[in-house]
Amino acid sequence: MTLIHLEPADVLGERPFTDLRHTQRDLQTLRFMVTCAWMALELPSGAGAERSDPFILHQPTADQWTQRIVITQPERLRRHKPLTVVGFFGLKSTRANVALAQELDRQLLPELTAHAELLAYLSICLPTGNFANLVLFASPEGKDAWGQSERHNLAVRVLTPDYYAAVRLYNGELPGGIAASETLRLNLVKYYDYGSRPLWRAVRPLPRRENL
């Protein structure tokens, strides 16, 4: 399977999901999600106490949420910097199996706390109806370990090819930690076109100007 290496300014008119204007919007969305995670940390868990145990926050409700924040290690997330970032933006296919996606999601959630370097996992529904995910790690090694997760890989193999038409997957860093969303930088974006046979894949480095 060929991997295409794109230059920072390359334009692919036939694959509009790779447009760099998406990258700018995605960056702002991820920074917003970092801020949401920080605000969730500041919410009292009861009697004015700070949250110290793992928790899940659904907004507006657990049954019909448009944003979900999973914090696995609140204290460590508060103090740790820099953080390693993974951002995911998927374009849902017309043949998407929503029930299967929900079941795999339910199976994946309990595993999050088993990953020592995974500190937070956020999902948000965008105005387009597509979802964005943000994962915060204490180290690059933690990100690599998550990539070896059995449940995570099952979701990628079973769900992704049919559920998504295309995907943008970002690698980045958050030097200032959870309270400094403006420091989030994206270093690399990987593209996947699941409507292409064979699968079309590309990678693009993101210079500093794309992070302004």
Side-chain angles (χ1 to χ4, degrees):
M1 190 184 306
T2 302
L3 177 64
I4 308 298
H5 290 268
L6 300 177
E7 295 298 324
D10 283 351
V11 176
L12 303 179
E14 72 279 13
R15 289 188 168 87
F17 69 94
T18 65
D19 193 305
L20 283 171
R21 285 174 293 186
H22 290 303
T23 298
Q24 293 294 326
R25 287 190 289 266
D26 294 347
L27 174 63
Q28 297 308 315
T29 298
L30 293 173
R31 286 176 173 168
F32 169 76
M33 294 171 77
V34 170
T35 298
C36 290
W38 174 73
M39 293 176 66
L41 282 175
E42 300 306 306
L43 290 173
S45 58
E50 288 186 330
R51 293 176 182 264
S52 58
D53 296 324
F55 67 90
I56 301 178
L57 180 63
H58 295 92
Q59 296 175 326
T61 68
D63 294 330
Q64 296 183 332
W65 58 269
T66 56
Q67 184 182 47
R68 184 182 66 195
I69 301 173
V70 182
I71 307 293
T72 61
Q73 301 181 57
E75 291 297 334
R76 194 176 181 196
L77 182 59
R78 281 191 187 95
R79 68 175 185 268
H80 195 93
K81 59 177 86 169
L83 294 169
T84 297
V85 173
V86 170
F88 177 96
F89 291 79
L91 307 179
K92 191 167 64 174
S93 168
T94 55
R95 61 181 183 275
N97 187 334
V98 176
L100 176 60
Q102 292 173 338
E103 176 57 30
L104 290 173
D105 182 69
R106 282 191 291 268
Q107 294 178 21
L108 183 64
L109 276 180
E111 187 181 331
L112 298 180
T113 55
H115 291 267
E117 299 291 280
L118 193 158
L119 306 184
Y121 189 109
L122 289 80
S123 301
I124 188 171
C125 184
L126 303 171
T128 59
N130 293 303
F131 276 81
N133 296 328
L134 168 69
V135 193
L136 300 175
F137 299 91
S139 67
E141 292 76 19
K143 176 182 71 69
D144 295 339
W146 171 246
Q148 301 304 313
S149 159
E150 181 179 344
R151 295 270 183 210
H152 178 254
N153 283 323
L154 176 65
V156 171
R157 293 194 311 271
V158 174
L159 177 67
T160 305
D162 290 325
Y163 191 87
Y164 293 106
V167 161
R168 292 187 297 276
L169 184 65
Y170 295 95
N171 290 340
E173 59 186 348
L174 186 58
I178 194 67
S181 62
E182 72 280 1
T183 67
L184 174 60
R185 298 288 181 265
L186 300 176
N187 303 323
L188 188 77
V189 56
K190 300 174 184 178
Y191 302 111
Y192 300 85
D193 185 349
Y194 291 102
S196 178
R197 295 291 184 273
L199 170 66
W200 183 87
R201 300 186 307 152
V203 61
R204 184 201 302 271
L206 296 173
R208 184 172 179 81
R209 68 174 180 271
E210 305 302 339
N211 286 279
L212 299 176

